[in-house]
């Protein structure tokens, strides 16, 4: 039974942890990856049940090392998918976030890169805007006193500091576009930053949109927050 417990917990762990990299490198489809999540949770629960039975029926075969390994692997296999499910329930099921909900920045150079993406390049509309206002009321247009050219340069630097792929910079239009690739699944989410003049101030708007998926699990809002923080840090230097 010791071998069975260890093997079951290891399988559970691998089903969950490897789902992202296997999808990222085009070995499996996204639906298969999520199926792996489901069976990983089942296998993790099964491993814990088998471990409990081993303690009850064959206590002498239990070793501390194998028990700890089984618990850790099973806990990871169960916790990671459940955490994602809980996150999905705590945020709105949207994948397009913008600090300007009336006139969101438009993707230009990135638009052709999204030609085959399930999520279209156009803004998702009024329903998405309403859900964002409720969930992320703090995300609004930013104002800065710096000249437009200086702000565009700072935006570029912030993009680079965050490790995003810089796709396009149009200093005249005040547009910077970039793509952020998530580490685990390799999802590509696109970002456009717009800098406009308004009298003595500059208005900065950020939009982040996923190429795939209905809910972004709050990732795009987190990305916008991270960018604002990094831009302020660059401008403070």
């Amino acid at each position: 039974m010791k071998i069975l417990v260890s093997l079951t917990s290891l399988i559970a762990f691998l089903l969950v942890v490897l789902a992202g990299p296997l999808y990222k490198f085009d070995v499996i489809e996204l639906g298969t990856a999520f199926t792996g999540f489901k069976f990983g949770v089942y296998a993790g629960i099964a491993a814990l049940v088998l471990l409990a039975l081993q303690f009850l029926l064959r206590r002498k075969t239990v070793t501390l090392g194998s028990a700890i390994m089984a618990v850790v692997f099973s806990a990871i296999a169960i916790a990671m998918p459940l955490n994602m499910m809980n996150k999905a329930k705590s945020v709105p099921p949207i994948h397009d976030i913008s600090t300007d909900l009336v006139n969101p920045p438009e993707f230009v150079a990135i638009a052709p890169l999204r030609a085959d993406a399930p999520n279209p390049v156009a803004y998702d509309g009024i329903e998405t805007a309403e859900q964002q206002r409720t969930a992320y009321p703090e995300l609004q247009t930013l104002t800065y006193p710096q000249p437009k050219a200086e702000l565009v340069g700072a935006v570029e630097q912030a993009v680079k500091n965050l490790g995003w792929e810089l796709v396009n910079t149009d200093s005249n239009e005040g547009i910077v576009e970039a793509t952020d690739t998530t580490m685990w699944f390799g999802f590509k989410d696109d970002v456009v930053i717009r800098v406009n003049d308004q009298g003595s101030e500059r208005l900065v708007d950020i939009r982040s949109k996923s190429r795939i998926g209905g809910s972004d699990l709050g990732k795009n809002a987190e990305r916008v927050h991270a960018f604002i923080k990094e831009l302020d840090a660059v401008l403070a230097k």
Side-chain angles (χ1 to χ4, degrees), residues 174-185:
I175 294 293
V176 176
E177 297 175 270
T179 297
D180 181 24
T181 303
T182 62
M183 183 176 297
W184 189 14
F185 271 81

Side-chain angles (χ1 to χ4, degrees), residues 57-91:
L57 304 177
R58 307 191 65 180
R59 185 182 297 269
K60 292 182 179 180
T61 66
V62 178
T63 61
L64 180 61
S66 63
I68 291 176
M69 182 188 74
V71 170
V72 171
F73 282 175
S74 299
I76 293 174
I78 296 170
M80 290 177 69
L82 292 184
N83 283 340
M84 291 178 67
M85 290 176 59
N86 289 333
K87 182 68 174 179
K89 292 177 181 179
S90 67
V91 297

Side-chain angles (χ1 to χ4, degrees), residues 3-187:
I3 295 176
L4 179 60
V5 171
S6 298
L7 184 60
T8 304
S9 64
L10 178 60
I11 290 173
F13 175 79
L14 293 177
L15 282 171
V16 171
V17 173
L18 292 182
L22 290 176
Y23 169 77
K24 182 177 182 178
F25 294 107
D26 297 322
V27 178
I28 60 175
E29 295 182 352
L30 187 58
T32 304
F34 287 144
T35 298
F37 270 16
K38 180 174 69 175
F39 284 105
V41 172
Y42 293 160
I45 294 172
L48 293 179
V49 171
L50 289 172
L51 181 61
L53 290 175
Q54 185 183 7
F55 268 105
L56 291 174
L57 304 177
R58 307 191 65 180
R59 185 182 297 269
K60 292 182 179 180
T61 66
V62 178
T63 61
L64 180 61
S66 63
I68 291 176
M69 182 188 74
V71 170
V72 171
F73 282 175
S74 299
I76 293 174
I78 296 170
M80 290 177 69
L82 292 184
N83 283 340
M84 291 178 67
M85 290 176 59
N86 289 333
K87 182 68 174 179
K89 292 177 181 179
S90 67
V91 297
I94 57 178
H95 53 259
D96 196 346
I97 298 294
S98 174
T99 55
D100 185 343
L101 298 175
V102 177
N103 181 31
E106 296 182 359
F107 294 107
V108 182
I110 279 178
L113 303 179
R114 297 181 61 104
D116 297 326
N119 295 335
V121 71
Y123 183 66
D124 284 346
I126 296 176
E127 184 177 347
T128 291
E130 291 176 347
Q131 292 185 75
Q132 182 187 316
R133 284 193 185 97
T134 301
Y136 313 111
E138 74 284 359
L139 293 181
Q140 300 180 10
T141 299
L142 307 171
T143 59
Y144 293 93
Q146 287 86 353
K148 186 175 183 178
E150 181 181 343
L151 266 178
V152 171
V155 166
E156 273 192 309
Q157 187 59 54
V159 165
K160 293 175 183 177
N161 291 351
L162 290 167
W164 302 348
E165 178 188 355
L166 184 64
V167 176
N168 173 51
T169 299
D170 189 331
S171 298
N172 292 329
E173 295 295 328
I175 294 293
V176 176
E177 297 175 270
T179 297
D180 181 24
T181 303
T182 62
M183 183 176 297
W184 189 14
F185 271 81
F187 293 132

Side-chain angles (χ1 to χ4, degrees), residues 95-97 189-191 206-210 220 223-224:
H95 53 259
D96 196 346
I97 298 294
D189 299 340
D190 297 308
V191 183
I206 310 100
R207 180 183 173 198
S208 179
K209 182 168 186 173
S210 305
N220 285 297
R223 184 177 294 109
V224 172

